[in-house]
Amino acid sequence: MPGISKHVVSHASNSARTGIPAVWMRAGTSKGLFIHEHDLPSSKDLWAPILLSALGSAEADKRQLNGVGGAASTTSKVAVIRKSKIPGFDVDYTFVQVAPDQAQVDMTGNCGNMASGVGPFALDEELIDIRVFNNNTQQILVETVHVTPDGKFCEDGDYRIDGVRGTASPIQMTFIKPGGSITGRLFPSGAKQEMLTMNSAHTPTRFIVRVSLVDAANPFVLVDSSTMPAAYLGSEPTSPLSLAIIEEIRVAGAVRFGLARDTATAGRVRGTPKIVLLYPGGRKVDTEGRVDEVDIEVLPFSLGQPHPSLQLTGAVCLGTALSIPGTVARDLRRQEAAHAHQNVSSEQQIIMIDPRMSTVKWLLKHPNGLMDVEARLETHENGETSVESVSVFRTARRLFEGKVFYRL
């Protein structure tokens, strides 16, 4: 079973405050601290108390009033950066998810949105250009950004991402060979899709959900929403009952992934795997009256709550799953295409590079809008398809720099 990096601190003392240099940045649809690794203890085991105090979670205050955290999973994050010691890489990046309502940090997975700020941070801190090694997943990220004449990150531009007001310069985030980020396999259970039988404590009878367990950029439980039990379908996604059912499915998926030996163990690590409900796509009209042909619609969850948009690693995972026949995501996309009024097929979105290589573009609908995903595929002699890379565009903004204080 993969190692789990998890630390719990029960309270913070009233010792004198200590400050370390830090930058607060928006990266994609997340916000968090960006810190040089050399400003933290050499052992990662000693990071937890410092980061919990700095973000305001040391006392398990869900408002994080005694820290800089924003009282939500998307605004309670840390990126730890160092100049890479690995040949061929510019910087190493470690992601830390700080729970906004518990004295707990999680370093088991990556955050793609925070990763989109690594390149801009590295440029502004003169760490170098931007080939990134993610320590959490041991995977490669390549960031393409706009720069000013003096070599700094250029924030200004006309690119817009749903979930963030205004425009900025685009950051192309490319995940190289995203499959097997934590488990070492794209489909760790050995199946492209399967049925999970749930003996739920929150429904009168057991139920069965259709899922794909996909490990690409992060492990995700991708659920066919039409197979959710009546108790979930009859209540709001934010209701305690709905969230409890979602968590039951997530922890059952964790066991099938091989990330935990049982559901009790899986329930103690809320960040990995993640879970997303999938719905057929179709024509969607935005608030400005524009019509888009969406490939799939998603409702993601993060740390037990609905996610306001979509994790960037979720977009990478979905882009991967949509590109491979036999997954739940691909089946729902094909179902949508079969019932569409227009004769639009996946093949019409594919750009051929050579007989073996191709690029396919997908459009995802999430709670805050749309997200484009581009997957580069290789077709092998046996007819199987592998995903060589997945790209998503983000924006980022440096918000303040100085010292963040903590107490131990």
Side-chain angles (χ1 to χ4, degrees), residues 279-282 293-297 322 329 332-334 336 344 346 349 361-365:
Y279 304 80
E293 291 287 347
V294 174
D295 291 294
I296 203 159
E297 187 169 351
L322 282 164
L332 288 175
R333 199 277 163 192
R334 288 175 59 194
E336 176 273 318
V344 178
S346 298
Q349 303 177 51
K361 297 182 178 181
W362 305 107
L363 185 60
L364 315 180
K365 173 74 171 68

Side-chain angles (χ1 to χ4, degrees), residues 117-353:
V118 172
F121 176 83
L123 281 174
D124 287 345
E125 299 291 307
E126 299 182 350
L127 287 177
I128 209 51
D129 330 290
I130 330 143
R131 188 171 171 87
V132 180
F133 184 77
N134 177 234
N135 288 317
N136 307 73
T137 62
Q138 307 290 293
Q139 288 193 311
I140 303 167
L141 312 177
V142 177
E143 301 187 30
T144 305
V145 303
H146 291 222
V147 297
T148 61
D150 62 353
K152 298 292 186 180
F153 171 57
C154 177
E155 289 187 353
D156 298 331
D158 57 6
Y159 189 78
R160 176 171 106 42
I161 61 173
D162 287 336
V164 177
R165 292 181 181 272
T167 62
S169 68
I171 302 167
Q172 182 176 342
M173 294 289 304
T174 300
F175 289 68
I176 307 298
K177 294 187 180 296
S181 67
I182 291 180
T183 66
R185 299 178 66 191
L186 180 59
F187 301 107
S189 71
K192 293 180 179 179
Q193 64 174 268
E194 57 193 282
M195 310 301 288
L196 285 183
T197 300
M198 304 297 304
N199 294 305
S200 174
H202 302 281
T203 60
T205 59
R206 70 180 185 177
F207 62 90
I208 298 174
V209 288
R210 186 168 73 117
V211 302
S212 284
L213 305 176
V214 186
D215 181 2
N218 264 330
F220 275 80
V221 182
L222 306 180
V223 184
D224 178 353
S225 61
S226 69
T227 64
M228 290 293 287
Y232 175 88
L233 297 173
S235 60
E236 291 294 321
T238 55
S239 73
L241 174 62
S242 295
L243 296 177
I245 292 172
I246 285 291
E247 179 63 5
E248 286 181 328
I249 298 170
R250 190 192 71 81
V251 299
V255 175
R256 286 290 294 153
F257 264 114
L259 294 168
R261 64 179 178 271
D262 52 46
T263 55
T265 304
R268 291 196 288 270
V269 182
R270 297 195 299 165
T272 310
K274 304 180 189 303
I275 185 167
V276 179
L277 296 188
L278 305 184
Y279 304 80
R283 284 187 163 192
K284 304 292 178 182
V285 182
D286 67 13
T287 55
E288 298 177 5
R290 293 174 299 194
V291 178
D292 289 290
E293 291 287 347
V294 174
D295 291 294
I296 203 159
E297 187 169 351
V298 302
L299 178 60
F301 294 81
S302 174
L303 298 187
Q305 297 293 323
H307 195 284
S309 55
L310 174 62
Q311 303 97 327
L312 193 73
T313 55
V316 173
C317 191
L318 277 164
T320 301
L322 282 164
S323 301
I324 297 179
T327 65
V328 170
R330 181 62 169 260
D331 283 356
L332 288 175
R333 199 277 163 192
R334 288 175 59 194
Q335 171 187 323
E336 176 273 318
H339 290 86
H341 294 295
Q342 295 183 358
N343 183 22
V344 178
S345 67
S346 298
E347 287 68 29
Q348 288 174 289
Q349 303 177 51
I350 293 177
I351 303 168
M352 297 302 297
I353 299 172

